Amino acid sequence: MTDVLFDVMERALRAHPDAVAVSDRDTVLGYGELAEAGRRRAAALRALLPACDRPRVGIRAANSVDYVVTYLALLEAGCVPFLIDRATGPQDTRHIQEDCGLDLLVHEEDAPVPESGVPAGVLGSLRVTRFPAAPDRPALHDETEVCRFTSGSTGRPQCIEFRGHAVHRAAVNWAEGTGLDGDDSIVCLASLSNGLAFNTSLLSAFLVGAQLHLGRGLPTGGSVARLLSRSAATRLVAFPALYESLVKRALSKEALPRLRMAVSSAAPLDPRTKERFEAATGVPLQNYYGIAEAGPLTFATDPLTDPGLGQPLPGVRLRAGTAERPDVVEVLSESMGTRYLNAPGVLEARVGADGFYRSGDRGYLSGGSLVLTGRTSQLVNVGGRKVDAKEVTDVLLGAPHVTDAVVLEAVDRHGATALAAVLTGAPGLDPAGARRHVARHLAPYKVPSLVRVVPEIPRGSSGKPNAAVLRRMFEDGENTP
């Protein structure tokens, strides 16, 4: 195994010892202080680790300085970090632990913990749970240094293995392609477990000596505006929902004097939100393109005139169709994942002999810029998180009185993408009860926000549900009481 990431991080921290490295609402650490905190945390961590090669340690927590310190400590202690979305529900957390053979889980006190785990200690403000050894767990690739997750076609999260070199190149290419430098101050409100934040705001910031300011959850527009002003932010990284909250406030150029770039990804950005944000602040709002398995891929150097999502970043090559005939987007990057640890052969099957990864998107290139026209898969993108409709359907079919269910994407009364469900059932079927049943088993973002109960699911001649008819049921955007 190589130790690319720890070596890179250590060099970056030594290069800027006196500059501010990372902060949250409670803590500020300089680069030298972060290095020292990582060393102390690594020493404490080693006492909790099992006697095995490359211990597998999951992190499921909100953004914080403690999160960054723990991540650094895991690399220094020779562990492989598994970055788990804080919104992951009990069932998915258990699947991850079982499928990947985690040795430890670092988490907040109120996080769902698989029943097989036992308390093992604390690391700063975070708890540690230990799991029994799993002799039959899948073997890691020899060069894997970090693992992240994406929704699986089977309904279980798929674990993407990344070489340290791939993570490093993602950070280097993002910094180079977007002009990130040591004068930048980044406010990051996307979860560090998500590629949007992980690739644009963690290692990339430290490589150039920038400041990283972390927020957690979905703060209010007012609190974000104050954080942007207080931190003298030059860059804002967030999901579309945050920008929708921000444009409802009286933003102004004067209130954000240094902000020069805002970055959004993981879910479609409403063009009206983009227009309102840019009109109020004079700051371009960039909806860049990235794929969990391949890293950050495009960036618009002139977002005000770019026809799509930007041109390929350094180290990236794209193939797509034409405006007249859009086709599947294929990508080749220096930041590609190696494989799915818990789904052998699935990722590899999407990579051609020439190394290009076949995405789930359709589009074309216009003057070198990528324009997307749709999806090739049935995953539903809700607030930046991809939801497997089959997984939610299977859980709904276990709810009291539900006899049939279809889960799909719909538009709510605010014009935003929402997770919807159409149900049939026996007398006494309660839509609210069905939603509570899903909430007991899955993450909150996998609970349908729109529900309809019908006598029979409309289907086409092939027997498949008629998606067009189903979507029309939600045109008023109101939920079933």
Side-chain angles (χ1 to χ4, degrees), residues 69-131:
V69 171
T70 299
Y71 175 70
L72 180 60
L74 290 172
L75 297 177
E76 181 168 349
C79 303
V80 176
F82 287 68
L83 308 187
I84 304 169
D85 191 331
R86 183 175 182 256
T88 300
Q91 181 169 293
D92 281 348
T93 302
R94 177 170 55 82
H95 287 163
I96 288 171
Q97 190 278 318
E98 293 173 348
D99 292 354
C100 302
L102 296 185
D103 296 300
L104 301 178
L105 178 66
V106 181
H107 56 89
E108 294 157 329
E109 185 175 4
D110 60 351
V113 177
E115 312 80 59
S116 60
V118 296
V122 296
L123 293 173
S125 64
L126 302 174
R127 306 298 178 95
V128 182
T129 294
R130 179 184 291 115
F131 301 101

Side-chain angles (χ1 to χ4, degrees), residues 66-414:
D66 243 8
Y67 188 113
V68 177
V69 171
T70 299
Y71 175 70
L72 180 60
L74 290 172
L75 297 177
E76 181 168 349
C79 303
V80 176
F82 287 68
L83 308 187
I84 304 169
D85 191 331
R86 183 175 182 256
T88 300
Q91 181 169 293
D92 281 348
T93 302
R94 177 170 55 82
H95 287 163
I96 288 171
Q97 190 278 318
E98 293 173 348
D99 292 354
C100 302
L102 296 185
D103 296 300
L104 301 178
L105 178 66
V106 181
H107 56 89
E108 294 157 329
E109 185 175 4
D110 60 351
V113 177
E115 312 80 59
S116 60
V118 296
V122 296
L123 293 173
S125 64
L126 302 174
R127 306 298 178 95
V128 182
T129 294
R130 179 184 291 115
F131 301 101
D136 57 345
R137 66 185 181 180
L140 287 165
H141 188 282
D142 289 344
E143 296 181 73
T144 294
E145 294 191 44
V146 172
C147 291
R148 292 180 33 242
F149 294 86
T150 188
S151 298
S153 58
T154 63
R156 298 170 82 102
Q158 290 178 336
C159 177
I160 312 169
E161 296 185 66
F162 288 96
R163 295 180 174 91
H165 175 76
V167 175
H168 181 213
R169 293 312 304 172
V172 169
N173 292 336
W174 176 260
E176 179 184 338
T178 67
L180 181 68
D181 62 33
D183 291 329
D184 277 305
S185 176
I186 305 166
V187 167
C188 179
L189 299 168
S191 170
L192 290 172
S193 63
N194 185 279
L196 171 61
F198 183 75
N199 291 317
T200 71
S201 305
L202 187 56
L203 179 55
S204 57
F206 297 155
L207 286 178
V208 300
Q211 298 180 22
L212 176 59
H213 307 277
L214 298 172
R216 57 192 298 166
L218 182 60
T220 65
S223 65
V224 173
R226 289 190 293 273
L227 174 58
L228 290 170
S229 177
R230 185 170 65 250
S231 63
T234 61
R235 295 191 178 200
L236 171 61
V237 177
F239 293 131
L242 188 280
Y243 292 107
E244 292 166 7
S245 176
L246 273 178
V247 297
K248 295 175 183 176
R249 293 186 54 80
L251 293 174
S252 68
K253 300 176 185 180
E254 293 73 22
L256 308 172
R258 295 193 67 214
L259 191 67
R260 64 172 186 266
M261 181 188 299
V263 180
S264 174
S265 189
L269 179 67
D270 189 327
R272 295 169 297 182
T273 299
K274 175 179 168 66
E275 291 170 7
R276 291 175 62 188
F277 182 89
E278 292 175 344
T281 66
V283 176
L285 176 48
Q286 317 238 45
N287 191 13
Y288 94 100
Y289 180 62
I291 298 174
E293 293 84 354
L297 300 170
T298 69
F299 183 78
T301 54
D302 186 0
L304 299 180
T305 60
D306 194 281
L309 299 176
Q311 299 78 37
L313 287 163
V316 174
R317 293 167 60 192
L318 300 177
R319 291 197 302 230
T322 64
E324 295 74 24
R325 185 172 294 181
D327 203 351
V328 175
V329 178
E330 296 182 318
V331 305
L332 178 64
S333 75
E334 295 178 339
S335 49
M336 296 275 288
T338 310
R339 62 185 186 182
Y340 297 129
L341 174 64
N342 57 338
V346 174
L347 192 153
E348 296 93 320
R350 302 188 73 170
V351 178
D354 56 1
F356 277 79
Y357 173 81
R358 186 178 177 88
S359 78
D361 296 306
R362 288 186 174 275
Y364 61 92
L365 297 174
S366 174
S369 180
L370 178 65
V371 179
L372 296 183
T373 59
R375 295 280 301 167
T376 62
S377 73
Q378 297 304 310
L379 291 178
V380 179
N381 196 330
V382 181
R385 298 185 176 97
K386 294 180 176 63
V387 178
D388 182 358
K390 180 180 182 301
E391 177 187 29
V392 182
T393 299
D394 289 345
V395 174
L396 279 168
L397 291 173
H401 307 297
V402 173
T403 57
D404 200 359
V406 175
V407 174
L408 70 159
E409 174 183 325
V411 176
D412 67 18
R413 60 190 176 90
H414 302 293

